[in-house]
Amino acid sequence: MATLDELTTKAGDDDVVAGVPARLVAAPRDTAEAAALIEAARGLSVVVRGGGTKLDWGVPPRELDLIIDTRRLAGVVEHAAGDLITVVRAGTRMAELHGLPGQQLALDAPPAATAGGTVAANASGPRRLRYGTARDLLIGITVVRPDGTITKSGGKVVKNVAGYDLGKLYTGAFGTLGLITECVFRLHPVPAASVFVRACAPPGHAARVLAGQFAASALEVCAAPGTEPELAVLLEGTPAGVRERAAAVAALLDGAVAGTPPEWWDVPPWPPGGVGIKLTGRLSQVPALVATAVGAGATVRGSAGTGVLYAGFPPVAECPDGTVEAGRAVELLRAAAVRAGGHAVVLTAPAGVRETLDMWGPVPGLALMRRVKDQFDPEHRFAPGRFVGGI
């Protein structure tokens, strides 16, 4: 069996997670080598790194000995077009999965993001309205647990109901329960046609689109202080059907049909060094949630069709009493989200501000989450302190 020295190298200056430097880095070639690495690294604290697009999300790890990089765990293992599924290694870039012949993994994610990282963060984008999130499209998973055990859940058919669906447990766990090495995803056909309808309209008008049953694939809002809010609707399907629905939506919103999305589409509303917050709420409360966030000085983008929004504030250095104001803004938006029947989670904030914020806020079921963590990772080695409640 390979030793830890053989499987790792000394960390470099860029091997940092949320400001915390690592001592060692490893890039296993396959699931078996990953299991041997984790077995050899017993007693070390570990953070998994994919494309690095979300490494600054969440709370910094309490300690960090080893970064496991998935860049060599890459590639499409199988693309069963007839079954509408693909099996991919966790380090596979989303750009590759967006370009499968004739089919698509309908997860909006940065091209540099990886399949495993997208699942670990339960990421999604505008098209979640039609296709769902990573949790909805994942049908099978291979994970190396913190004790080095290789586990598999799900399968390669969409209607697999055997056993516990542990894939949903690992999805959105931010790497706290183990190392994802392989994913099986449900695919969808690439639509024959797609268009966007854009309109300067209040967020409340999104309800008209939903009530009209136009089968929109995405219904996004963008609002910022001092500007008129904009709605953008993505319609997909046959050319004739898309043309007809687009004309109807444009008339409904007094908007215009476009072949390309607006420049803000699927772009986070926070600049580098800014504060980013995820907001959720009932659909009926989206207008009030947007108004509260914009009134607090935030730019808001997200799905007016699912009630999942993102608010962004400028860097603290650009705001008088920025650290204090960031805390007040988070409290204000968290209270608004609770009134709307949802939650507010701070995704990212600069050093010096992050330490002053309650990043996760109150989370139901925290005691159960702690028991799951204790069961899967008794030594709390994986992403220590990164998740809700210091898990």
Side-chain angles (χ1 to χ4, degrees), residues 112-196:
T114 61
T118 300
V119 170
N122 193 28
S124 63
R127 292 183 297 167
R128 69 180 294 156
L129 175 63
R130 178 172 182 179
Y131 300 106
T133 67
R135 179 176 279 110
D136 301 302
L137 297 175
L138 182 76
I139 62 173
I141 194 168
T142 300
V143 176
V144 181
R145 291 178 49 174
D147 63 358
T149 302
I150 299 172
T151 62
K152 295 187 177 186
S153 175
K156 293 194 292 184
V157 293
V158 173
K159 293 186 177 180
N160 188 321
V161 295
Y164 293 106
D165 189 1
L166 291 180
K168 286 184 170 54
L169 188 65
Y170 292 111
T171 305
F174 279 74
T176 57
L177 301 179
L179 168 64
I180 299 171
T181 62
E182 202 168 273
C183 303
V184 185
F185 291 109
R186 176 188 178 188
L187 302 176
H188 289 84
V190 174
S194 61
V195 299
F196 296 85

Side-chain angles (χ1 to χ4, degrees), residues 45-48 61-63 173-176 373 377 380-387 390-391:
S45 55
V46 176
V47 170
V48 180
R62 284 191 298 269
E63 54 184 330
F174 279 74
T176 57
K373 174 68 171 178
D377 184 15
H380 290 214
R381 295 171 49 219
F382 270 62
R386 293 273 281 164
F387 200 40
I391 292 176

Side-chain angles (χ1 to χ4, degrees), residues 27-37 72-74 89 144 150 179 181-182:
R29 293 170 297 180
D30 52 34
T31 298
E33 185 174 308
L37 167 67
R72 296 169 71 191
L73 284 168
R89 296 185 179 92
V144 181
I150 299 172
L179 168 64
T181 62
E182 202 168 273

